[in-house]
Amino acid sequence: MSADTRTKLLAGALSTLTEQGLAKTSARTIAATAGVNQALVFYHFGSVDELLAAACRYGAEQRVAHYRERFARVGSLTEFLDLGRELHAEERAAGHVAVLAQLLAGAQTQPRLAPATAAGLAQWIEEIEQVLTRVLSGTPIAAFVDVPGLSRALAAGFVGLELYEGVDPEGALAALDALEQLSALIGVLEDLGPVAQRAVRARIRRSAGRRAQP
């Protein structure tokens, strides 16, 4: 029963964030959404901030698990970007990315939210990194891409697109289109012969070397 109550509170916190926003999320509103006594918030989690932190981790675990099989089926960067569009649409419609964005904003003034919010985002980053490592392996740019860094950039961009799309839907679509152009460029490089690929690698090395110089 205790575990069931905790799950209700976690789900209730996420639903309250989605429907009412962080500013209106309180022990009272969460308890009302969860259908439990308000005192149980403090009994199980100690504070609203602790509940929100746990809810962030819980929500990320649920969402990543929901997509894990689809991530595992991705076999190319193009397929990965197609899945990214699907995830963007589904998560936006469900309000899940908006919740993460609110928690990221809240963490700026409520430090206790920061570690849990980062941990929730890290679960997405881990899945993205696994896919990028797999689909970039053997491509002409594999040796020059910082996959962990790129994974973080994509995860952050995913959240940012949620906010950006609210004020400029066409701009958000253009950002996704730009990523698809990158995929097309990698496809062109893969179609080049061995000699041309070696020339491209050498040019990238020279460019990277110049940027590394103080």
Side-chain angles (χ1 to χ4, degrees):
M1 188 67 173
S2 178
D4 183 55
T5 300
R6 284 179 61 87
T7 300
K8 285 182 179 179
L9 286 168
L10 292 169
L14 292 172
S15 295
T16 304
L17 279 169
T18 302
E19 296 166 7
Q20 301 188 43
L22 184 60
K24 295 183 179 180
T25 296
S26 64
R28 181 182 61 79
T29 56
I30 292 171
T33 302
V36 301
N37 189 290
Q38 180 177 330
L40 292 174
V41 170
F42 304 99
Y43 175 78
H44 286 284
F45 296 96
S47 70
V48 173
D49 279 357
E50 292 297 329
L51 170 53
L52 291 177
C56 179
R57 289 189 292 265
Y58 172 79
E61 289 169 0
Q62 297 294 308
R63 300 314 299 165
V64 170
H66 177 71
Y67 293 111
R68 186 161 286 128
E69 287 188 6
R70 290 160 73 178
F71 276 125
R73 291 197 298 268
V74 169
S76 68
L77 188 58
T78 299
E79 291 178 10
F80 183 44
L81 294 174
D82 287 342
L83 178 58
R85 282 186 181 272
E86 293 174 19
L87 263 65
H88 175 68
E90 292 176 22
E91 294 295 285
R92 178 174 173 78
H96 296 127
V97 180
V99 168
L100 184 55
Q102 289 183 66
L103 289 169
L104 285 166
Q108 307 304 309
T109 56
Q110 301 176 57
R112 282 187 294 181
L113 292 178
T117 306
L121 194 57
Q123 294 185 57
W124 286 103
I125 292 169
E126 182 180 349
E127 293 295 323
I128 292 170
E129 186 173 339
Q130 290 179 13
V131 175
L132 286 177
T133 299
R134 185 171 68 250
V135 301
L136 292 179
S137 177
T139 68
I141 68 167
F144 309 100
V145 174
D146 175 11
V147 172
L150 180 57
S151 301
R152 284 163 174 76
L154 288 175
F158 188 71
V159 178
L161 278 175
E162 165 70 18
L163 303 177
Y164 186 33
E165 190 169 25
V167 297
D168 185 2
E170 291 185 1
L173 289 176
L176 289 171
D177 289 342
L179 288 174
E180 290 190 349
Q181 291 169 6
L182 175 61
S183 173
L185 175 60
I186 292 174
V188 170
L189 292 175
E190 290 177 333
D191 290 338
L192 296 176
V195 174
Q197 286 193 15
R198 284 197 294 272
V200 170
R201 291 191 182 98
R203 182 63 180 269
I204 292 174
R205 287 193 189 95
R206 288 197 296 272
S207 178
R210 285 196 296 268
R211 287 198 301 270
Q213 292 175 356

